[in-house]
Amino acid sequence: MLIASKKCNELTDQEVVARALREVDYFSCLYERYEPALLRYVRRITGAGRDGAEDILQEAFIKIWRNLRGYDPGMKLSSWLYRIVHNEAISALRRQTSFGKNRTVDWADADPLLLHSLLSEVETEEKNIPAEQLHHWISQLPQKYREVILLRYFEELDYEAISDVLQIPEGTVATRLNRARKALEKTARATPAPNQKK
């Protein structure tokens, strides 16, 4: 029997984990709480369609369940979940030799304020770059830069959480973000926005 949403909402992440370890039905609370954001993240980082992303996420949740006893309550649960989902998504990408062909990325629900925040940190002559153009430029970045951009500006994680997810030092997170912004600046200078004439 699945636990009612109202009951799930009354529990903290740590309480849900503790109860799920005693009674498996409480695991549905974690799934319900995090599935939308994690599915969106999988679609963005892999470029997979909804069905493919759901398959990846399903595999990740199996791993989450199997490793739930290993969760360290001193770590934010969301960071721990993102780490497992991220690793599963990257593994899926590595299994696909034709990654990048005929793929579209799900950016539709990105927060416009976060996009504006990213644009304000990227030095370009044109500050009214259409979101679709920015998304295209981000999708062209090397994976290690795309990861930090997605986690910071689309998943709204702080440096500490990104460090936990990617298992790299916070200083490396900062360095990769800086290099990603510089790569976007270089691309922006080389590629006119659609409303600009060459």
Side-chain angles (χ1 to χ4, degrees), residues 86-109:
H86 174 82
N87 289 342
E88 188 62 29
I90 296 306
S91 293
L93 284 180
R94 289 184 180 137
R95 289 191 296 267
Q96 297 171 359
T97 55
S98 63
F99 172 65
K101 296 180 181 175
N102 301 319
R103 292 185 175 273
T104 57
V105 179
D106 177 25
W107 305 96
D109 54 356

Side-chain angles (χ1 to χ4, degrees), residues 37-151:
L38 293 173
L39 181 62
R40 184 182 63 230
Y41 178 65
V42 169
R43 291 188 72 180
R44 285 178 178 156
I45 199 164
T46 65
R50 186 170 185 91
D51 290 346
E54 285 176 347
D55 289 344
I56 293 168
L57 188 58
Q58 183 66 35
E59 288 300 313
F61 266 104
I62 290 170
K63 290 182 178 172
I64 288 165
W65 170 247
R66 288 180 181 158
N67 293 287
L68 199 58
R69 288 193 185 281
Y71 164 65
D72 175 5
M75 182 182 192
K76 283 170 67 173
L77 180 65
S78 59
S79 299
W80 186 75
L81 296 173
Y82 267 98
R83 178 193 295 174
I84 293 172
V85 170
H86 174 82
N87 289 342
E88 188 62 29
I90 296 306
S91 293
L93 284 180
R94 289 184 180 137
R95 289 191 296 267
Q96 297 171 359
T97 55
S98 63
F99 172 65
K101 296 180 181 175
N102 301 319
R103 292 185 175 273
T104 57
V105 179
D106 177 25
W107 305 96
D109 54 356
D111 185 335
L113 291 175
L114 290 171
L115 290 180
H116 179 72
S117 172
L118 172 58
L119 279 176
S120 70
E121 295 176 23
V122 173
E123 293 181 19
T124 63
E125 291 180 17
E126 177 62 60
K127 288 297 181 186
N128 294 317
I129 297 169
E132 296 78 16
Q133 182 69 52
L134 180 60
H135 301 154
H136 175 71
W137 292 342
I138 292 169
S139 69
Q140 302 304 307
L141 291 173
Q143 182 178 307
K144 65 182 180 180
Y145 298 151
R146 194 171 64 246
E147 291 171 349
V148 291
I149 289 285
L150 291 177
L151 289 167

Side-chain angles (χ1 to χ4, degrees), residues 172-187:
T172 304
V173 172
T175 299
R176 287 187 185 178
L177 277 169
N178 187 47
R179 289 178 179 168
R181 286 190 290 260
K182 289 190 181 306
L184 285 174
E185 287 170 14
K186 185 176 178 182
T187 303

